[in-house]
Amino acid sequence: MNWEEYIQIWDTSWIQLVDIRQHVIRRQSKQQHLLPASSFIFVVRGQGAVWLDGDRYQLERFFVLHAGKGSNIRFEVGHEDVTYYYVLYRGTISTKASKSILKSYHINNPFQLQYACKPISPVVLYRHMESMYEEWNRRPAMERFQAKIQFYQFVYTLVQQLQLQGVAPKETDLVEQIIQYIHKHYYEPISLESMAEVWNYSIQYLSRQFKRRTGRSPIEYVIQTRMAKAKELLIQTDATVQEIAVNVGYSDVFYFTRLFKKQVGTTPVQYKNKVKTGLIVSDSPWQEFLSSMGKYSPACYIDHDNHYQLRLEGDKQMLKGIETKKGLMLMLVLTLLLAACGNGNTSRNSNPGAEPTQSTPSNQAVEKTGLRKIATVMGDVNVPANPQRVVVDWDLGPVLAVGVIPVGASNTQLEYSQFLKPFLDETVQDIGAEGSISFEKVLELAPDVIITWNKDAYSNYSKIAPTVLFDTSKYATIQEEITAMGEILDREEEAKHFVADFEKRKIAARDKIKNAIANDATISIVDYITVEKFLMVIGNLGERGGRATYDILGMKPTPKVQSEIIDKEMSRVEVSWETVNDYVGDYVIVLTVKDKAPPKLPSTWKMLDAVKNNRVIEIDMEKYFAADSYSSLLQAEDIADKISKLASSK
């Protein structure tokens, strides 16, 4: 890009000033942060050094630096203070710009370019900067407008001087920035959406550029970074698996363990033992991982489609045939056109100031377009009649309950909804783990409709296909929940059949328990396998069998569980072993995890009546993690069978 093109893009763009500040970095100190927007930095006093995405510049008075949103900037100041002005702005190209300007913008976005220099006439720039700063901080709209005029004058004067000096802008190395960001923030929540927001690029462009350079998607790289650090911690420390999981960004130790096994081939404990016995030799997995990346080494490239979740088994080959890709794109275009013709987009509530309210979706008459209008928490949405290709990121059970096998579902549900496995087949594809869904994969599946629980992801889903936000908290009963899903997916009859069958099976399960234990017997659900040094007591919300036990089977909780958990609408509480007797009832359901031994249990546990009298029912975490309506029914029947078997054994 030359400076003429640079100015032409500025001339055809919408510019918004975000903030203008003056900073002082005290001597012998450091400062580091990510730029929240495109920025000019103008040093007016002092000396030091600044690193911009790894490139070092010598700071001196009247030094100008420009960098784009998401750039990593670090200052180091020597024996004197450094004073600089900091101008944050956003720039957006006009859609009415000429094709040549738009092409130049997309190749080299000027608002992301990096350049630095010591201008030849710094006092003129200083005058513009000082006036801009003063006008901006007066606050009234007229002065803010004047500050914007001064900003344009500053940019014009600077570009004139850069052109005379022969300074060339440096294109931002987007991939290097993302890699540095991941290495620094791997233990924090990271999604493709958040990275796209940081660097102000579309999800598709960011992911495509990263994959082209590294051979893997950004979220794959996040996962591999976390696993490398986890291996390092397993080898070099005595941290527990749970402590390591949290340290590398996973609050759910079971999900971390399964992900580790997929990546490494063994569980974390097995890996640690193999290193100890010499079956695996690895002194520093973290450094090995960093070295293996090289500088975008082509050896990193793999031929399998990379989504948010790296799968070492059963990955599908990328769609390589041209005709297949054409067909996929035609399907996507047709779907988006249908949605656009129906209501312009999947509209939100027409009253932006009102709280969204959920009503059971009301199925309208099928129009000639083959679309049905349904009411949702996000407003009316046009969905296809009798959709065949459904993607669901969480509520897998209700979708299966109305007779629909989705084309895609979240890895979390596929792995932890074990009771639903018999109702699935190999055609259901993994769209990524909860919290890091691959929109690329969803796009590839060309869905007719998407079912999501995640309001934050709704906008991105809606760009792919008609999307329904399914909020189960808005339904008073499982029957209402299934009825609503039946209407969303045009499976009303199937929903009626399931609801009728649900009632029969619920009554049968309750009768089985009545014949096994006293009517006034209390029961508790506890988890001491996934936590340390305390006991987790489960209510009737969320996972771990609470919904099945208390809502479907109608079993009686202890007074403490009722008052401290269920009445307060909490899913679970953590209690000390000293108070365990207050929460555990006549019977106790205990969570277990395959291949994980329980901790050493204290005497307060062993002295419980339920434990002493062998009224303990063990359930498998993998089967009881899910809490959807269908899983909960199957869990209730399983618990009823276990209680009946326990009673008959006495």
Side-chain angles (χ1 to χ4, degrees), residues 193-327:
E193 296 76 30
S194 67
M195 287 189 282
E197 175 66 21
V198 168
W199 281 279
N200 200 28
Y201 285 105
S202 70
I203 292 172
Q204 293 80 7
Y205 178 82
L206 185 146
S207 184
R208 184 169 61 249
Q209 294 301 314
F210 193 94
K211 189 171 180 179
R212 183 179 297 165
R213 294 276 294 277
T214 69
R216 63 197 83 182
S217 73
I219 299 303
E220 268 186 16
Y221 189 77
V222 171
I223 294 169
Q224 293 168 356
T225 302
R226 289 171 171 174
M227 294 304 113
K229 177 56 71 173
K231 289 193 288 185
E232 185 98 341
L233 291 170
L234 284 166
I235 293 172
Q236 298 186 359
T237 75
D238 287 330
T240 66
V241 174
Q242 182 164 355
E243 289 169 338
I244 292 172
V246 172
N247 189 74
V248 299
Y250 298 102
S251 58
D252 188 331
V253 66
F254 299 102
Y255 175 67
F256 164 73
T257 299
R258 296 183 70 84
L259 191 59
F260 187 95
K261 187 173 182 180
K262 275 193 173 184
Q263 290 281 312
V264 182
T266 67
T267 66
V269 173
Q270 290 170 339
Y271 177 84
K272 189 179 185 76
N273 291 336
K274 285 185 177 181
V275 171
K276 284 182 177 179
T277 56
L279 294 176
I280 296 177
V281 179
S282 184
D283 294 329
S284 184
W286 176 248
Q287 292 302 322
E288 288 178 11
F289 170 72
L290 297 180
S291 299
S292 70
M293 276 299 295
K295 189 74 172 176
Y296 320 122
S297 168
C300 296
Y301 208 92
I302 55 179
D303 292 331
H304 289 80
D305 198 5
N306 296 320
H307 309 302
Y308 286 73
Q309 212 55 46
L310 181 63
R311 302 172 62 198
L312 298 183
E313 300 176 336
D315 281 355
K316 306 296 183 183
Q317 281 291 110
M318 292 178 65
L319 297 174
K320 293 183 179 179
I322 295 175
E323 294 303 319
T324 303
K325 288 185 177 180
K326 284 182 178 178

Side-chain angles (χ1 to χ4, degrees), residues 19-24 39-45 62-65 73 75 82-88 125-134 137 154:
D19 200 2
I20 303 173
R21 310 172 189 173
Q22 186 185 66
H23 282 290
V24 176
S39 306
F40 283 99
I41 293 171
F42 186 27
V43 179
V44 296
R45 187 177 64 184
F62 296 135
F63 179 84
V64 179
L65 183 145
I73 190 164
F75 296 94
V82 167
T83 302
Y84 68 93
Y85 288 95
Y86 184 30
V87 181
L88 296 167
L125 287 172
Y126 176 73
R127 188 165 59 246
H128 290 316
M129 181 63 73
E130 187 179 36
S131 298
M132 190 192 329
Y133 176 73
E134 290 176 357
N137 286 283
F154 174 86

Side-chain angles (χ1 to χ4, degrees), residues 93-145:
I93 188 72
S94 169
T95 55
K96 295 181 180 180
S98 66
K99 290 184 178 180
S100 61
I101 294 299
L102 285 170
K103 181 179 179 181
S104 180
Y105 170 83
H106 289 298
I107 293 174
N108 287 309
N109 181 345
F111 311 122
Q112 289 293 124
L113 290 178
Q114 294 178 7
Y115 49 87
C117 74
K118 185 175 180 181
I120 54 178
S121 301
V123 177
V124 178
L125 287 172
Y126 176 73
R127 188 165 59 246
H128 290 316
M129 181 63 73
E130 187 179 36
S131 298
M132 190 192 329
Y133 176 73
E134 290 176 357
E135 299 290 353
W136 179 263
N137 286 283
R138 287 179 185 173
R139 301 292 178 183
M142 289 293 289
E143 281 69 18
R144 287 287 178 98
F145 184 71

Side-chain angles (χ1 to χ4, degrees), residues 363-623:
N363 189 0
Q364 304 297 318
V366 178
E367 302 174 3
K368 292 180 180 180
T369 58
L371 297 177
R372 299 173 300 120
K373 183 181 290 185
I374 59 174
T376 77
V377 295
M378 305 303 287
D380 290 345
V381 178
N382 285 335
V383 299
N386 191 28
Q388 300 298 308
R389 300 182 64 80
V390 177
V391 166
V392 55
D393 65 4
W394 189 255
D395 293 288
L396 178 60
V399 172
L400 292 172
V402 297
V404 174
I405 298 177
V407 294
S410 72
N411 171 273
T412 310
Q413 288 289 290
L414 294 175
E415 293 296 330
Y416 286 95
S417 299
Q418 293 293 315
F419 275 114
L420 301 180
K421 284 291 180 82
F423 306 100
L424 298 170
D425 58 38
E426 294 180 355
T427 63
V428 183
Q429 298 207 29
D430 179 358
I431 62 170
E434 168 54 31
S436 56
I437 296 297
S438 169
F439 292 107
E440 301 145 291
K441 182 62 178 179
V442 176
L443 181 68
E444 177 190 311
L445 292 174
D448 299 329
V449 66
I450 299 169
I451 309 295
T452 181
W453 72 275
N454 190 348
K455 187 177 292 187
D456 292 336
Y458 181 85
S459 176
N460 285 321
Y461 281 137
S462 297
K463 295 172 184 175
I464 299 172
T467 301
V468 176
L469 186 71
F470 192 68
D471 186 354
T472 56
S473 69
K474 302 300 182 180
Y475 304 111
T477 65
I478 286 176
Q479 293 89 328
E480 288 183 11
E481 185 179 309
I482 297 300
T483 300
M485 185 61 76
E487 294 183 355
I488 291 168
L489 296 179
D490 203 9
R491 302 291 197 282
E492 290 90 341
E493 287 302 315
E494 289 85 348
K496 288 179 182 177
H497 288 309
F498 183 88
V499 168
D501 187 53
F502 174 86
E503 289 296 328
K504 293 178 183 178
R505 293 167 68 174
K506 180 180 75 172
I507 292 170
R510 289 188 175 190
D511 287 343
K512 189 174 290 187
I513 290 176
K514 286 179 182 178
N515 295 328
I517 64 175
N519 289 336
D520 61 347
T522 59
I523 192 165
S524 305
I525 309 170
V526 301
D527 176 7
Y528 51 62
I529 196 76
T530 72
V531 292
E532 291 184 359
K533 299 179 181 179
F534 56 83
L535 187 74
M536 184 184 292
V537 183
I538 313 300
N540 66 336
L541 302 177
E543 69 283 355
R544 295 172 168 89
R547 193 180 195 186
T549 302
Y550 297 122
D551 290 354
I552 298 178
L553 294 176
M555 301 193 74
K556 185 179 179 181
T558 65
K560 198 77 169 178
V561 170
Q562 182 70 48
S563 63
E564 297 297 317
I565 307 176
I566 296 176
D567 289 347
K568 293 181 178 180
E569 297 185 350
M570 299 177 66
S571 61
R572 52 189 180 266
V573 297
E574 299 166 359
V575 303
S576 66
W577 285 105
E578 289 75 16
T579 62
V580 65
N581 191 54
D582 296 335
Y583 292 88
V584 173
D586 300 314
Y587 289 79
V588 59
I589 295 175
V590 176
L591 272 295
T592 63
V593 174
K594 185 179 179 181
D595 298 330
K596 183 170 183 179
K600 184 178 180 181
L601 299 170
S603 59
T604 50
W605 172 264
K606 296 176 183 178
M607 295 303 293
L608 292 170
D609 287 341
V611 176
K612 289 192 297 183
N613 294 301
N614 193 29
R615 293 196 293 266
V616 177
I617 300 104
E618 293 187 344
I619 60 175
D620 185 353
M621 175 66 81
E622 288 189 356
K623 292 184 177 180

